Amino acid sequence: MEKWVLKNKKADFRAIMEQHKVSEVVARLLVNRNQEDAEGIEAYLHPDLNYLHNPMNMKDMDKACSILMSKIKTNQKIRIVGDYDVDGIASTYVLYTALLNCGAKVDYEIPDRVKDGYGININIIEAAYLEGINTILTCDNGISATLQIRKAKELGMTVIITDHHDIPFVEENGQKEYLIPGADAVINPKQTDCNYPWKSLCGAAIAYKLVLVMYDKFNIDKRENEKLLEIVAIATVCDVMDLVDENRIIVKNGLGLLKKTKNLGLKALMELNNINLTKLSAYHLGFIIGPCLNAAGRLDTAKKGLRLLLSQTEEEATKL
């Protein structure tokens, strides 16, 4: 027989109730979910996009954007290298769509699950070099690709890493030495010297943070962000990120956007799965939409899932 144990954390519940106009039950729930400071509680109760943290606080963010701006202005070829799961597909979509909007000469590569395995590899780098690619931009991978990045640099290529996975390290005498690849810029909030306050973002969310800065620098309408946020919400749920702090804000707002999405691929996918948009929830993202996108990478190529999101006509979207 299972025994339930209720949390009974101590706090000034009366003050929380009065300040935020909530019931005692809600006040206790907030404390049990580690929401005790005023700003955190407000962000939890009212997950507005204004509560998202400043992307410029991420280490190398300014450096990465400066590099990309220079490459775009000089018409250099940029290749995005993603991953074959939902987060990788979403990350690639976010960066590819945004860089096109910024006027970049950009394409993408997603490794084959069987032939290539996870992440960027030497073959992908050499192929890019032979095709005249000047810059590689990773998403949802790259933080453990030390040898691969070294190869790209030996070939004279520029490399920017955006990733959210743990930083690899070696430990000797109880001391950890973190192994950061020698890329031109590395955006990953899990770096020990990164001051970004929220570390648990998915790959697509980190790509989205980069895009926010790029759009600002290129004076692109902020409403373009919404077309990307709905995809980031899917990735956040499917990569099983804790739905607190920024992740809660992203998913809450992303669900609202998905209910009125103009993305032809997503509309076709939801229609063919008989999803009632008025009842759309995180369940549908994690157990219907996400697995459908994931299946492309398992059964054929993840590029089909990406092409679905990039569909330009209803006929193309329905076929995919």
Side-chain angles (χ1 to χ4, degrees):
M1 182 176 179
E2 292 186 7
K3 182 179 180 181
W4 287 81
V5 179
L6 299 180
K7 286 183 180 179
N8 191 25
K9 295 181 68 175
K10 303 298 182 184
D12 189 346
F13 298 110
R14 179 61 56 185
I16 294 174
M17 292 164 59
E18 292 176 355
Q19 182 176 357
H20 301 282
K21 305 295 187 292
V22 296
S23 67
E24 183 179 352
V25 171
V26 173
R28 289 185 178 275
L29 283 171
L30 288 166
V31 172
N32 283 346
R33 296 181 183 185
N34 299 315
Q35 304 297 328
E36 297 183 49
D37 65 279
E39 186 176 352
I41 290 173
E42 280 301 307
Y44 194 90
L45 292 173
H46 311 287
D48 188 272
L49 292 175
N50 290 325
Y51 285 112
L52 291 176
H53 304 302
N54 184 352
M56 289 302 293
N57 289 331
M58 281 191 185
K59 182 177 184 288
D60 281 2
M61 179 62 78
D62 190 46
K63 185 189 295 185
C65 290
S66 294
I67 292 171
L68 288 172
M69 289 180 69
S70 174
K71 301 298 181 180
I72 292 170
K73 290 176 180 178
T74 55
N75 214 31
Q76 301 290 331
K77 292 182 180 179
I78 301 169
R79 176 160 295 170
I80 300 162
V81 179
D83 190 29
Y84 44 67
D85 66 356
V86 179
D87 193 20
I89 293 169
S91 304
T92 307
Y93 172 86
V94 167
L95 291 176
Y96 180 68
T97 301
L99 289 180
L100 283 178
N101 282 341
C102 292
K105 183 180 287 187
V106 61
D107 64 11
Y108 57 81
E109 180 61 83
I110 298 179
D112 182 274
R113 183 184 291 268
V114 176
K115 184 182 71 174
D116 297 309
Y118 167 76
I120 191 169
N121 60 40
I122 298 295
N123 291 334
I124 289 174
I125 289 167
E126 291 179 338
Y129 174 74
L130 292 174
E131 293 175 43
I133 300 298
N134 172 272
T135 302
I136 289 177
L137 172 60
T138 76
C139 53
D140 194 30
N141 77 97
I143 198 62
S144 60
T146 299
L147 295 178
Q148 295 90 326
I149 303 308
R150 184 183 301 162
K151 178 65 175 180
K153 295 304 299 174
E154 288 173 355
L155 293 172
M157 304 173 78
T158 299
V159 183
I160 298 170
I161 293 172
T162 71
D163 200 354
H164 73 118
H165 293 98
D166 291 342
I167 315 296
F169 63 89
V170 294
E171 188 168 359
E172 187 173 345
N173 299 323
Q175 297 293 317
K176 291 181 180 179
E177 180 187 352
Y178 290 94
L179 307 175
I180 308 292
D184 296 87
V186 179
I187 300 176
N188 184 331
K190 290 182 178 177
Q191 296 178 89
T192 56
D193 55 349
C194 179
N195 295 322
Y196 198 75
W198 180 243
K199 308 294 185 181
S200 299
L201 293 170
C202 68
I206 291 174
Y208 177 71
K209 292 288 181 174
L210 174 63
V211 169
L212 290 177
V213 180
M214 290 294 292
Y215 274 8
D216 185 56
K217 290 183 180 293
F218 279 89
N219 296 313
I220 292 175
D221 193 324
K222 294 188 186 309
R223 286 176 293 186
E224 290 294 313
N225 297 335
E226 296 184 354
K227 300 176 183 178
L228 306 177
L229 188 64
E230 60 187 24
I231 305 295
V232 179
I234 296 171
T236 299
V237 172
C238 292
D239 228 41
V240 201
M241 311 308 295
D242 290 340
L243 294 186
V244 293
D245 206 282
E246 287 198 297
N247 295 333
R248 178 177 169 81
I249 297 171
I250 289 168
V251 174
K252 171 70 173 178
N253 288 276
L255 281 170
L257 294 167
L258 281 165
K259 290 178 181 179
K260 53 185 180 182
T261 183
K262 295 182 180 179
N263 185 290
L264 297 177
L266 286 177
K267 287 175 70 174
L269 189 58
M270 290 191 284
E271 183 178 331
L272 291 171
N273 278 286
N274 299 312
I275 295 176
N276 183 343
L277 288 181
T278 62
K279 297 182 179 180
L280 185 70
S281 70
Y283 168 84
H284 298 98
L285 308 190
F287 291 94
I288 301 178
I289 296 173
C292 285
L293 292 173
N294 219 358
R298 291 182 178 276
L299 300 174
D300 191 353
T301 171
K303 293 177 186 176
K304 280 191 174 178
L306 179 56
R307 288 200 295 270
L308 173 68
L309 298 180
L310 294 168
S311 297
Q312 296 297 307
T313 67
E314 291 183 2
E315 181 181 10
E316 178 189 10
T318 302
K319 181 180 179 181
L320 284 166

